[in-house]
Amino acid sequence: MSGSGAPGPGAAPCRFAHYFVLCGIDAESGLEPDELAGENFDQSPLRRTFKSKVLAHYPQNIEWNPFDQDAVNMLCMPKGLSFRTQADNRDPQLHSFIITREDGSRTYGFVLTFYEEVTSKQICTAMQTLYQMHNAEQYSSVCASSSCSMDSLASSIDEGDATSLAKLQRYNSYDISRDTLYVSKCICLITPLPFMQACKKFLIQLYKAVTSQQPPPLPLESYIHNILYEVPLPPPGRSLKFYGVYEPIICQRPGPNELPLSDYPLREVFELLGLENLVQVFTCVLLEMQILLYSQDYQRLMTVAEGITTLLFPFQWQHVYVPILPASLLHFLDAPVPYLMGLQSKEGTDRSKLELPQEANLCFVDIDNHFIELPEEFPQFPNKLEFIQEISEVLLQFGIPPEGNLHCSDSATKLKNLVLSDLVNDKKNGNIPSNALNMYELLKGNETIARLQALAKRTGVTMEKITTPLTEKEKDGKLSCEELELRDYKLNVQLREVFANRFTQMFADYEAFVIQAAPDMESWLTNREQMQNFDKASFLSDQPEPYLPFLSHFIETQMFATFIDNKIISQWEEKDPFLRVFDSRIEKIKLYNVRAPALRTSNYQKCSTLKEAAQSIEQRLMKIDHTAIHPHLLDMKIGQGKYEQGFFPKLQSDVLATGPTNNNRWASRSTTTQRRKDRLRQHSEHIGLDNDLREKYMQEARSLGKNLRQPKLSDLSPAVIAQTNWKFVEGLLKECRMKTKRMLVEKMGHEAVELGHGEANITGLEENTLIASLCDLLERIWSHGLQVKQKENPERGQRNEGKSALWSHLLQYQEREEKQEHSAESPVAVGTERRKSDTGITLPTLRVSLIQDMRHVQNMSEIKTDVGRARAWIRLSLEKKLLSQHLKQLLSNQALAKKLYKRYAFLRCEEEREQFLYHLLSLNAVDYFCFTSVFTTIMIPYRSVIIPIKKLSNAITTSNPWICVSGELGDTGVMQIPKNHLEMTFECQNLGKLTTVQIGHDNSGLLAKWLVDCVMVRNEITGHTYKFPCGRWLGKGVDDGSLERILIGELVSSTSDEELGKQCRTPPQQKSPTVARRLSITSLTGRNTKPNAGQIQEGIGEAVNNIVKHFHKPEKERGSLTILLCGENGLVAALEQVFHHGFKSARIFHKNVFIWDFIEKAVAYFETSDQIGDNEEALLLQRSSCKTFCHYVNAINTAPRNIGKDGKFQILVCLGTRDHLLSQWIPLLAECPPITRMYEENALLRDRMTVNSLIRVLQTLQDFNIILEGSLIKGVDV
């Protein structure tokens, strides 16, 4: 757009208003029922909805913002036309709306709806006819109801009252001879920025001009032409005064470094919802749940929606945003994506009558009743209490109660007062005192004087004596200081500062975690989906613990992803305005308090910029920067647009179709860099749209399930609705692919890093977030295209109140299957989990059954809701690696799916459904413990089997065996095994992942000696089976004489995993020492080749390294330390190898000698001899080490347990590690005389260099606080 020349329609970007619109009844087409708005023929004709039409709009079109007639009509009159009679309330009502374009840019509409008398005889007659038909129907239904039960209409009529029908007709009727009919009409301004207060004042003044007894000073066209073509947008950081019909109007725009413009009064939002509720809804919006606002008042819907999204700064809502959902778009409520929508409640309908397809993840906000329904289980906003405290301090300063104000004045009544107080109560017109009124009114109708006045205004001459005794200055003073408005502005900005400050504090270091991988924008856009652009794990590890539940969810949202995208793009393009302001605030923080990055505390820091923010707005409003041209007479045809009180005149379209041709002052200013920059910022979306890549990027790269920001309001043909649904189906499939891929990559990535660790797991927090988001996705898929009205069988879990579409489907499936089960045994997939051992003793097969898994969940009394049950069932199926199989089985019942779902539903699109199940199947490649680790207090049945080695020993022992199973969450205590049984079942509180089994017996009877191969234990709900290898004897006089052993567990993979292919297997967990190693150590067999000195040293390094790594993980993700100490490659096993190297164990008479024998010999030596040291200090140290060593060994020997010699060595190593004594004991043992008798000369323990390096390695464990599992050291008191 060039600076010279006309600023006609092309100058739209810098114009205050883009369009003026008039909507109402089309006299030619008459009364057309509005089927889309949900026609209800039970209602009286006055209460029905009829089609409205855009009667006129000026200008015809603007290239920047093409006029969308259907959308504007639908949003100006979301309920269509409404009729009233003189008996009804006909107060004008103001509401606003928003249109979001595909690229995310927005246009705002401000609408004043008022009632105009119907002059068309044809329409009045049509209404009378409709009433006669309605009354006849009613009469027949009343007669019918006297014999049967009352229907909804008749129930309001007193039984037996003959006059009741007449009464009813009188209250709710229309008689052409007696009543005056009124119909709604609306005037609307469409603007690029949300200047709500200014537009409201302008429309109210227009309305006053129409209803006033005197015609306005100038024809209405002058004012409309002025606001469309001659009032510019105020430049950033400036204020602007322009003129309405009676009074000047002031608007202001924040500067480049201030928070973006927001003109909706947050005071109303806090009054309507209350502070606590608002913070909860705000959190749901941040976590991108589905938010449904519900109110009778359109303006309330808009105020709450805009208020909450304003508070998101620096983030922006990225999904469907329809603050006013027209009745014709109700089908959009089953959109399976996050949305923020507003629904108008009809009078007298309560929440329970509202049937919504998807409620599992829904935040329902009943604005009029000050009530919210929240989704289950969502994390709280960080520092919520302090945050609420800070906001309430701001609210109280402005006299607003933090708990909200349920009876806060309605926008409609406010408007009524505004209009009437000026016109009726004080008999004044605008702000002109009554003493000047007569003179003014006399002159006002005089066209010559009016022209003269307009001319004088343009030339700057004031006509004080004629117009008003107030000087311009006084007028300005009165206007600028409209106290209430100024207070609202100040409150708005201060509340927004408090919210923005929270994000500035929380994300002060975000830049350090942005991954800038691409060399240029093109390569970044091309690979956008494959690239990770934010280091989430490092970011979370840097955050205070209390923030993590919220932040781990939040950084997965689309709004956060877009924020980071904008940051990356800002290397190549001008910064997004929100990002620019946010970054400048972070820089400010860093300047003021130079804080070390390590000091991430959860200390609450209050906002310190409240005063400055309020001052800058106040200054702008008090000192006006720009004044627009006054409205003036236009070159109009005489005699048209005659003034008639109460009727909006027919406007002369030729004068409103185009702007002025003269090169006025603000058009020429548009060439300045300021204007250019401003336009760039405001329309950055449109700049590169010719670039195909950019187009593709805008539509796809950022959109994951948000292909639709807003439904197309302009075309509601079945084809368009089908296309919308198809986009949803594609979006859901894409989201499923991304989510499963992410879950796999995260899990496997962590496992690859941790192959040497005892525990292969991604951060519990991150895993939980991903699984919660999968549960949410499944709920959304199951609610897409759901037939809402399913009220059958309410006693079975109350389908309607249940809220979970998935659980509702499962319940109906269960019902059908159980009916079949009664008639015939239902087919059950046979589990592939038969456990075989060389002895032929096995764990009985655990059958795979969808219904059985449902029953497990139904038996969990801890879960109170259907949403909770659905989530538990998903977690259980995922842990059992049956999610895909179960859902396939559920969907195989096609008759049920057809009954529950519409044809377009995702679950009835066969190809997509198959792909979806395939993506879920890929999750079987990794091990999840998402059920076991979440439901920690439930009772779980376990089954254990002891498998002896029959070839070498008797299968059953005559003694009394016992077992104690321990897991990460607790142990069972000692349980006696029934005599002559190898298998037992027991129930106890969830043990978590199993870690150890203690097994032993009392050595009674003839056949007491028992050679146990292993113990198997299975969780009967999740099917997880653990193997605890033993391969040792239990009994006196055999092996090392042990009557009890501690066995370390390993998770046994089910055979179905192996079928998935070796390449995607979870790396195996560390196992307990294998039978082979144990036997070789105790010389039962010589088959195993002994490791050489290098391998042994490597083993020690590896074992210690794994323990160090364990402690470098966040506490919640460490897993089992027992495995790292006593497992196959654990520290005990590694030290055993050291002590066995060069050990003279086999004797001539075949009596085995154990390491423990050497330890005891060393103790005997220490207790009898006095050591000779080089100096006194070393001697004292040596003595104390000897003393503690002897004390520990004696404590182990005297413990009331029948532990064998190898078991005792294990306890000694564990205690030595715990108390950081190993590095002191090793040199003592290496120096003591018994070593020469019991070890060969080349033994590692006799090599000084090896011993020194061993000591150094063990010293690295000094810094860690090692806590041992109780089962390892039970009964040993040191």
Side-chain angles (χ1 to χ4, degrees):
M1 185 189 104
S2 63
S4 54
C14 43
R15 293 206 311 234
F16 179 86
H18 285 180
Y19 293 100
F20 177 81
V21 186
L22 192 65
C23 292
I25 190 163
D26 183 6
E28 286 168 29
S29 56
L31 287 183
E32 273 188 87
D34 191 354
E35 293 92 2
L36 284 172
E39 184 51 67
N40 185 353
F41 289 106
D42 297 344
Q43 288 184 317
S44 65
L46 276 179
R47 296 282 165 269
R48 291 179 199 167
T49 48
F50 297 92
K51 277 186 187 166
S52 61
K53 193 173 175 188
V54 173
L55 303 176
H57 69 276
Y58 310 102
Q60 275 310 299
N61 209 23
I62 289 174
E63 56 184 295
W64 280 123
N65 181 8
F67 188 75
D68 185 339
Q69 185 146 324
D70 295 322
V72 170
N73 180 32
M74 209 180 267
L75 291 164
C76 280
M77 297 193 140
K79 277 191 303 193
L81 295 171
S82 53
F83 286 89
R84 299 275 188 275
T85 65
Q86 75 287 349
D88 297 310
N89 172 15
R90 301 190 310 284
D91 294 334
Q93 284 200 311
L94 195 128
H95 81 270
S96 48
F97 62 80
I98 187 169
I99 295 179
T100 313
R101 292 192 212 78
E102 288 267 319
D103 62 5
S105 56
R106 293 172 172 183
T107 307
Y108 294 84
F110 300 93
V111 186
L112 181 73
T113 306
F114 55 94
Y115 287 88
E116 212 174 62
E117 190 179 327
V118 178
T119 49
S120 156
K121 190 89 167 62
Q122 180 196 353
I123 288 172
C124 294
T125 317
M127 183 58 80
Q128 171 98 14
T129 312
L130 283 174
Y131 257 103
Q132 286 163 350
M133 287 160 65
H134 178 67
N135 289 344
E137 275 171 35
Q138 261 187 326
Y139 182 69
S140 58
S141 73
V142 170
C143 294
S145 69
S146 57
S147 57
C148 63
S149 64
M150 293 279 157
D151 65 8
S152 60
L153 171 103
S155 60
S156 61
I157 302 171
D158 304 328
E159 262 188 285
D161 183 353
T163 59
S164 59
L165 191 64
K167 267 189 200 169
L168 193 90
Q169 286 172 358
R170 195 164 60 249
Y171 277 125
N172 197 353
S173 67
Y174 169 67
D175 181 341
I176 199 163
S177 57
R178 188 186 66 217
D179 297 318
T180 314
L181 191 62
Y182 292 87
V183 66
S184 56
K185 182 175 256 186
C186 72
I187 45 178
C188 165
L189 274 180
I190 290 179
T191 63
L193 291 175
F195 289 111
M196 193 194 81
Q197 304 295 347
C199 292
K200 178 167 114 180
K201 287 179 186 167
F202 181 82
L203 292 172
I204 287 172
Q205 291 188 41
L206 267 191
Y207 172 71
K208 278 187 198 176
V210 172
T211 51
S212 164
Q213 292 170 358
Q214 266 71 34
L218 293 170
L220 292 187
E221 283 89 342
S222 295
Y223 303 104
I224 294 167
H225 181 276
N226 179 252
I227 200 166
L228 282 179
Y229 302 109
E230 295 169 333
V231 177
L233 280 174
R238 300 299 173 90
S239 53
L240 169 81
K241 179 164 79 173
F242 65 94
Y243 293 85
V245 183
Y246 302 114
E247 295 179 353
I249 296 165
I250 291 169
C251 61
Q252 58 85 34
R253 192 169 164 192
N257 288 321
E258 295 175 53
L259 293 173
L261 174 69
S262 164
D263 215 18
Y264 287 85
L266 286 173
R267 170 183 52 76
E268 274 188 45
V269 184
F270 280 88
E271 282 178 341
L272 288 166
L273 295 184
L275 173 52
E276 173 81 30
N277 280 351
L278 184 126
V279 171
Q280 294 287 55
V281 175
F282 175 69
T283 310
C284 291
V285 173
L286 281 170
L287 299 175
E288 296 187 338
M289 296 174 172
Q290 292 180 320
I291 319 291
L292 185 61
L293 308 174
Y294 194 60
S295 169
Q296 281 193 40
D297 184 333
Y298 293 126
Q299 186 57 12
R300 283 184 173 186
L301 293 172
M302 192 70 189
T303 302
V304 172
E306 280 291 289
I308 287 179
T309 49
T310 296
L311 296 173
L312 295 174
F313 174 88
F315 307 103
Q316 288 162 287
W317 179 256
Q318 296 296 320
H319 297 277
V320 175
Y321 182 66
V322 192
I324 296 174
L325 186 68
S328 52
L329 284 180
L330 285 182
H331 65 273
F332 220 78
L333 285 172
D334 76 355
V337 290
Y339 59 66
L340 203 167
M341 299 205 232
L343 187 61
Q344 198 220 14
S345 56
K346 297 199 169 54
E347 283 177 62
T349 56
D350 60 349
R351 160 77 178 96
S352 59
K353 297 213 175 69
L354 186 67
E355 287 170 333
L356 301 166
Q358 149 73 326
E359 296 189 37
N361 208 34
L362 182 74
C363 169
F364 181 83
V365 185
D366 186 341
I367 299 173
D368 302 341
N369 295 317
H370 207 65
F371 161 75
I372 60 173
E373 265 176 44
L374 295 166
E376 289 172 34
E377 301 171 29
F378 69 94
Q380 294 300 315
F381 193 72
N383 294 114
K384 185 177 153 194
L385 293 175
E386 295 97 321
F387 184 45
I388 284 178
Q389 178 62 38
E390 185 181 5
I391 302 168
S392 52
E393 284 167 19
V394 175
L395 290 173
L396 289 167
Q397 278 174 6
F398 287 83
I400 293 160
E403 63 278 3
N405 179 3
L406 191 47
H407 310 291
C408 64
S409 50
D410 222 319
S411 39
T413 33
K414 261 186 225 159
L415 187 60
K416 177 180 161 188
N417 298 345
L418 261 168
V419 176
L420 296 183
S421 61
D422 282 349
L423 287 177
V424 184
N425 307 357
D426 62 356
K427 301 279 183 287
K428 292 180 190 175
N429 212 340
N431 58 3
I432 300 156
S434 42
N435 58 0
L437 195 65
N438 302 342
M439 175 71 165
Y440 187 72
E441 281 181 353
L442 282 169
L443 293 171
K444 204 164 48 173
N446 184 321
E447 206 170 307
T448 320
I449 292 283
R451 282 188 181 190
L452 187 61
Q453 186 186 346
L455 180 69
K457 271 187 183 172
R458 279 213 304 281
T459 53
V461 177
T462 54
M463 298 172 64
E464 284 175 18
K465 297 226 163 59
I466 295 180
T467 51
T468 160
L470 283 182
T471 65
E472 279 300 304
K473 208 172 192 177
E474 284 169 329
K475 248 183 171 177
D476 281 4
K478 174 176 179 189
L479 262 164
S480 315
C481 296
E482 282 184 320
E483 278 301 308
L484 266 172
E485 198 173 313
L486 181 61
R487 278 186 57 207
D488 269 0
Y489 274 127
K490 282 174 155 180
L491 175 63
N492 258 25
V493 77
Q494 293 199 355
L495 287 169
R496 292 174 67 203
E497 285 289 342
V498 172
F499 277 79
N501 177 57
R502 286 310 323 120
F503 290 121
T504 317
Q505 300 290 348
M506 254 188 271
F507 293 98
D509 303 320
Y510 86 96
E511 234 174 306
F513 304 97
V514 175
I515 301 168
Q516 305 267 20
D520 54 63
M521 186 151 169
E522 195 163 328
S523 64
W524 182 77
L525 289 175
T526 321
N527 303 309
R528 167 70 193 86
E529 267 189 21
Q530 285 73 44
M531 291 163 93
Q532 193 177 351
N533 54 14
F534 189 73
D535 185 351
K536 294 174 180 170
S538 305
F539 173 75
L540 288 175
S541 66
D542 202 35
Q543 302 309 309
E545 183 83 18
Y547 290 13
L548 294 179
F550 172 80
L551 284 177
S552 62
H553 276 75
F554 179 66
I555 61 176
E556 296 294 333
T557 58
Q558 189 64 47
M559 72 175 84
F560 185 75
T562 305
F563 173 74
I564 299 296
D565 283 356
N566 286 342
K567 179 68 184 172
I568 291 172
I569 291 173
S570 69
Q571 326 170 63
W572 305 297
E573 281 197 351
E574 191 179 2
K575 257 190 191 178
D576 171 78
F578 279 50
L579 185 68
R580 195 187 58 249
V581 177
F582 188 65
D583 281 354
S584 70
R585 286 167 172 243
I586 287 177
E587 277 159 32
K588 217 173 186 179
I589 281 193
K590 288 180 175 167
L591 275 176
Y592 286 137
N593 49 344
V594 189
R595 72 151 200 245
L599 299 176
R600 286 299 283 142
T601 65
S602 54
N603 290 348
Y604 191 83
Q605 287 175 297
K606 278 190 169 180
C607 180
S608 54
T609 53
L610 295 183
K611 271 210 180 87
E612 303 159 34
Q615 275 165 359
S616 56
I617 279 209
E618 192 166 4
Q619 281 162 5
R620 271 202 295 276
L621 287 172
M622 300 304 279
K623 181 186 151 291
I624 307 300
D625 297 306
H626 302 281
T627 305
I629 298 173
H630 286 244
H632 50 87
L633 275 174
L634 302 168
D635 187 11
M636 287 168 58
K637 298 185 182 73
I638 304 295
Q640 276 195 11
K642 192 164 68 71
Y643 176 77
E644 197 179 338
Q645 187 185 354
F647 291 93
F648 199 89
K650 183 170 168 43
L651 300 171
Q652 291 192 25
S653 51
D654 49 348
V655 294
L656 293 176
T658 54
T661 48
N662 67 323
N663 186 6
N664 64 42
R665 56 192 169 145
W666 59 271
S668 62
R669 202 182 70 222
S670 66
T671 49
T672 63
T673 49
Q674 172 58 43
R675 172 64 56 200
R676 195 162 60 248
K677 268 189 184 169
D678 190 33
R679 207 169 72 246
L680 257 173
R681 258 203 308 279
Q682 203 199 330
H683 292 279
S684 62
E685 297 90 354
H686 303 280
I687 285 167
L689 282 185
D690 52 318
N691 176 346
D692 289 347
L693 189 67
R694 180 72 188 237
E695 176 80 25
K696 179 174 172 243
Y697 156 67
M698 276 303 205
Q699 300 305 328
E700 289 174 22
R702 274 188 198 163
S703 74
L704 177 54
K706 63 153 193 180
N707 312 27
L708 289 135
R709 295 278 183 108
Q710 178 164 6
K712 262 209 163 60
L713 302 179
S714 46
D715 182 1
L716 288 173
S717 64
V720 167
I721 293 175
Q723 188 193 355
T724 302
N725 276 304
W726 187 243
K727 276 190 177 176
F728 281 146
V729 168
E730 286 180 327
L732 285 171
L733 189 62
K734 183 178 179 187
E735 195 177 345
C736 180
R737 189 183 77 235
M738 301 287 281
K739 281 208 162 110
T740 49
K741 181 176 165 187
R742 171 88 198 281
M743 285 169 78
L744 278 172
V745 168
E746 288 284 350
K747 188 97 171 159
M748 291 181 134
H750 278 267
E751 290 171 350
V753 171
E754 297 175 354
L755 268 169
H757 282 219
E759 173 81 333
N761 203 351
I762 60 170
T763 71
L765 187 77
E766 207 170 346
E767 176 172 313
N768 229 353
T769 306
L770 291 173
I771 288 168
S773 123
L774 177 72
C775 293
D776 160 44
L777 172 66
L778 292 181
E779 279 294 357
R780 283 191 279 123
I781 285 176
W782 253 258
S783 63
H784 182 236
L786 185 66
Q787 306 273 14
V788 176
K789 295 180 175 51
Q790 285 163 25
K791 284 195 166 168
E792 65 199 87
N793 213 2
E795 74 277 358
R796 250 220 100 109
Q798 295 163 308
R799 217 117 304 136
N800 250 22
E801 288 72 22
K803 292 188 176 183
S804 166
L806 174 58
W807 191 251
S808 164
H809 192 171
L810 283 165
L811 282 175
Q812 298 198 40
Y813 176 80
Q814 182 183 23
E815 208 173 302
R816 291 185 172 212
E817 288 296 304
E818 283 173 352
K819 275 181 192 159
Q820 286 174 18
E821 250 178 43
H822 289 309
S823 52
E825 194 55 38
S826 85
V828 170
V830 176
T832 49
E833 297 191 44
R834 183 165 287 281
R835 310 283 179 204
K836 280 226 166 135
S837 76
D838 55 356
T839 58
I841 300 169
T842 63
L843 276 169
T845 304
L846 190 68
R847 69 178 201 162
V848 175
S849 155
L850 184 159
I851 305 283
Q852 192 54 48
D853 286 346
M854 281 185 70
R855 287 182 191 141
H856 285 314
V857 170
Q858 283 162 327
N859 293 336
M860 290 163 63
S861 57
E862 293 84 350
I863 305 176
K864 306 288 185 229
T865 64
D866 283 0
V867 174
R869 288 183 193 103
R871 285 180 181 162
W873 182 85
I874 292 167
R875 284 175 176 276
L876 178 57
S877 305
L878 194 56
E879 187 163 321
K880 293 178 84 162
K881 304 192 177 188
L882 292 172
L883 183 59
S884 180
Q885 188 180 329
H886 277 350
L887 292 177
K888 189 172 188 172
Q889 195 179 331
L890 175 67
L891 296 169
S892 64
N893 187 331
Q894 288 184 348
L896 181 60
K898 275 183 184 164
K899 180 189 146 201
L900 297 181
Y901 289 92
K902 296 170 187 157
R903 182 64 199 91
Y904 65 73
F906 181 91
L907 296 176
R908 289 187 63 190
C909 301
E910 284 175 28
E911 199 177 314
E912 283 68 26
R913 190 179 64 206
E914 286 310 307
Q915 286 185 48
F916 154 73
L917 291 171
Y918 176 75
H919 290 316
L920 290 183
L921 184 65
S922 66
L923 294 175
N924 291 5
V926 288
D927 294 327
Y928 283 103
F929 286 87
C930 48
F931 180 85
T932 311
S933 58
V934 167
F935 301 103
T936 52
T937 56
I938 59 170
M939 297 301 285
I940 288 186
Y942 292 90
R943 184 183 292 270
S944 69
V945 174
I946 296 160
I947 301 174
I949 299 178
K950 284 188 181 168
K951 293 173 193 165
L952 302 171
S953 116
N954 44 312
I956 303 272
T957 175
T958 52
S959 55
N960 299 302
W962 56 266
I963 191 172
C964 171
V965 182
S966 303
E968 288 177 356
L969 302 175
D971 66 49
T972 57
V974 170
M975 300 180 293
Q976 293 296 326
I977 297 168
K979 261 238 161 115
N980 300 329
H981 280 78
L982 292 170
E983 188 183 317
M984 68 183 279
T985 51
F986 56 91
E987 194 175 69
C988 66
Q989 191 169 313
N990 187 353
L991 298 172
K993 289 184 195 169
L994 302 187
T995 51
T996 62
V997 159
Q998 288 162 263
I999 182 173
H1001 62 73
D1002 61 1
N1003 205 42
S1004 60
L1006 291 170
L1007 300 169
K1009 293 170 187 165
W1010 203 20
L1011 180 57
V1012 175
D1013 176 35
C1014 64
V1015 176
M1016 308 285 282
V1017 182
R1018 182 173 67 202
N1019 176 325
E1020 294 290 275
I1021 290 183
T1022 65
H1024 282 315
T1025 306
Y1026 294 83
K1027 184 177 182 181
F1028 297 86
C1030 176
R1032 303 288 295 265
W1033 285 91
L1034 289 165
K1036 288 276 184 228
V1038 64
D1039 201 337
D1040 63 350
S1042 182
L1043 289 185
E1044 61 177 273
R1045 294 197 183 279
I1046 299 167
L1047 312 179
I1048 312 299
E1050 59 183 274
L1051 185 64
V1052 181
S1053 62
S1054 61
T1055 45
S1056 57
D1057 293 10
E1058 278 130 39
E1059 288 158 18
L1060 263 169
K1062 299 277 189 290
Q1063 76 282 3
C1064 60
R1065 272 301 317 283
T1066 303
Q1069 278 200 328
Q1070 304 233 338
K1071 302 170 184 169
S1072 52
T1074 57
V1075 176
R1077 184 182 71 78
R1078 286 294 198 198
L1079 294 180
S1080 74
I1081 286 171
T1082 52
S1083 328
L1084 272 173
T1085 164
R1087 279 196 304 261
N1088 267 34
T1089 51
K1090 289 189 177 176
N1092 61 35
Q1095 288 169 329
I1096 291 173
Q1097 284 173 290
E1098 209 174 282
I1100 280 279
E1102 191 66 28
V1104 170
N1105 204 10
N1106 283 340
I1107 295 173
V1108 172
K1109 280 191 208 165
H1110 169 89
F1111 283 102
H1112 277 291
K1113 285 194 222 170
E1115 198 168 327
K1116 286 183 180 169
E1117 297 142 30
R1118 287 178 183 168
S1120 169
L1121 185 61
T1122 305
I1123 292 174
L1124 301 185
L1125 288 170
C1126 309
E1128 183 173 10
N1129 298 319
L1131 185 62
V1132 173
L1135 281 171
E1136 270 185 0
Q1137 295 282 14
V1138 172
F1139 276 87
H1140 267 285
H1141 188 263
F1143 187 54
K1144 304 173 182 173
S1145 60
R1147 293 286 180 262
I1148 301 157
F1149 299 111
H1150 295 289
K1151 182 173 183 282
N1152 282 332
V1153 181
F1154 292 88
I1155 299 172
W1156 193 251
D1157 296 323
F1158 164 60
I1159 300 265
E1160 285 180 329
K1161 289 258 179 16
V1163 168
Y1165 167 73
F1166 295 142
E1167 285 175 338
T1168 55
S1169 66
D1170 284 329
Q1171 289 86 23
I1172 300 119
D1174 299 342
N1175 61 36
E1176 208 167 312
E1177 199 177 316
L1179 188 66
L1180 280 170
L1181 196 67
Q1182 204 176 1
R1183 275 201 179 139
S1184 84
S1185 299
C1186 288
K1187 206 171 174 187
T1188 52
F1189 181 68
C1190 297
H1191 172 60
Y1192 275 67
V1193 173
N1194 292 331
I1196 292 168
N1197 273 331
T1198 55
R1201 289 177 68 177
N1202 298 305
I1203 305 167
K1205 292 177 178 179
D1206 281 348
K1208 288 176 179 175
F1209 179 75
Q1210 177 168 297
I1211 292 174
L1212 183 68
V1213 173
C1214 289
L1215 289 171
T1217 312
R1218 181 191 74 183
D1219 301 336
H1220 308 126
L1221 297 168
L1222 284 181
S1223 54
Q1224 295 171 26
W1225 292 347
I1226 297 282
L1228 292 180
L1229 292 168
E1231 304 280 313
C1232 74
I1235 197 160
T1236 51
R1237 295 199 298 279
M1238 301 185 77
Y1239 279 88
E1240 313 280 355
E1241 206 149 313
N1242 64 347
L1244 285 174
L1245 277 179
R1246 293 183 67 175
D1247 176 48
R1248 180 157 291 200
M1249 272 175 69
T1250 309
V1251 170
N1252 286 341
S1253 84
L1254 178 59
I1255 292 165
R1256 278 198 304 279
V1257 169
L1258 291 172
Q1259 276 169 340
T1260 55
L1261 299 178
Q1262 301 289 80
D1263 305 333
F1264 305 119
N1265 178 24
I1266 290 171
I1267 295 166
L1268 300 176
E1269 197 175 306
S1271 60
L1272 293 178
I1273 50 166
K1274 204 184 276 181
V1276 180
D1277 186 24
V1278 287

